[in-house]
Amino acid sequence: YGKLLGDFGILTALDGGAFRGDSATDMAAALPGISCIIACEPDRRSYKKLSEFASDISGKCKVEALECALGDKCGEADYVSSGSRGSGRSGRGHRASTERIRVLTADSIVQNRRIDFIKLDVEGDEEAALDGARRIILRDRPALAVSLYHRTDDIVRLPEAVRALLPECKLFLRRPPCIPMWDLTLYAIPDRAQFI
């Protein structure tokens, strides 16, 4: 996060698909001055670990852990839970079980708080999560990090959706160092950011 966002002055972030706190750890380390991360994770087992992590990092920055998925409307949805990164509303797996989960929009979670950065790695629901964050994106003009590898047409549809919301942003594609190497992230950086 730090290389692209530089000295952007990020104070509050929304972490969609927080898993067990790994991305919140990266944010806290890379973004000086970050004071609050709202971390959303729908998988029950991963959320439990995220909650434990949230209490451990409290001295560095505040982490608000929420057990929910992000979407374009509030409600409930079926969720295939495996306790791993393969969990999701369209997930599958031989060890997975299906359960009902709470779905919230980013707009309903954030309400009147300012958001400086939104990370979305929500297992194929990125477009719906962007729709559910429309009000805060238009209001706050945050930097975005959106996963582009869950659906075949993500690499076309998601940059178009981001460009429609934030036409003034600079867009970058980055592949984080990981195995397997299919992860691809779209970064949308507002003009006011200072680049390193």
Side-chain angles (χ1 to χ4, degrees):
Y1 302 109
K3 287 186 180 181
L4 276 176
L5 296 173
D7 193 20
F8 186 49
I10 292 176
L11 300 176
T12 305
L14 176 66
D15 183 0
F19 193 47
R20 298 175 180 170
D22 52 338
S23 52
T25 300
D26 292 345
M27 285 181 214
L31 303 173
I34 192 164
S35 59
C36 181
I37 301 169
I38 303 165
C40 303
E41 175 56 48
D43 184 88
R44 185 169 288 134
R45 287 178 273 185
S46 296
Y47 172 75
K48 183 177 179 200
K49 293 188 184 283
L50 173 65
S51 295
E52 293 165 2
F53 160 82
S55 63
D56 288 346
I57 198 173
S58 61
K60 297 176 185 170
C61 77
K62 181 179 176 184
V63 176
E64 296 176 24
L66 299 174
E67 187 176 1
C68 67
L70 293 179
D72 57 354
K73 57 185 173 278
C74 296
E76 291 187 340
D78 286 333
Y79 185 82
V80 179
S81 173
S82 64
S84 71
R85 293 183 185 271
S87 298
R89 294 196 321 189
S90 59
R92 60 188 174 280
H94 67 281
R95 295 181 306 163
S97 61
T98 301
E99 56 191 55
R100 293 295 285 173
I101 59 160
R102 180 172 61 151
V103 179
L104 298 174
T105 66
D107 288 342
S108 71
I109 293 168
V110 171
Q111 297 180 1
N112 294 325
R113 292 191 279 184
R114 177 173 176 75
I115 293 292
D116 302 300
F117 179 54
I118 298 174
K119 174 239 149 191
L120 296 174
D121 186 355
V122 290
E123 306 306 317
D125 289 325
E126 286 79 9
E127 191 167 14
L130 282 170
D131 286 344
R134 174 176 294 281
R135 185 179 57 78
I136 59 172
I137 291 172
L138 293 174
R139 181 191 71 199
D140 297 340
R141 317 307 275 184
L144 303 175
V146 182
S147 292
L148 293 182
Y149 60 91
H150 295 104
R151 298 184 184 276
T152 305
D153 59 353
D154 279 353
I155 198 158
V156 174
R157 292 176 62 90
L158 293 175
E160 289 173 347
V162 168
R163 178 62 71 199
L165 290 168
L166 298 170
E168 75 282 2
C169 282
K170 291 177 173 60
L171 301 180
F172 300 88
L173 291 178
R174 295 290 184 266
R175 185 177 303 281
C178 63
I179 296 176
M181 292 184 57
W182 58 61
D183 289 17
L184 184 63
T185 303
L186 171 71
Y187 287 89
I189 312 298
D191 279 341
R192 66 184 183 275
Q194 299 173 8
F195 296 98
I196 293 177

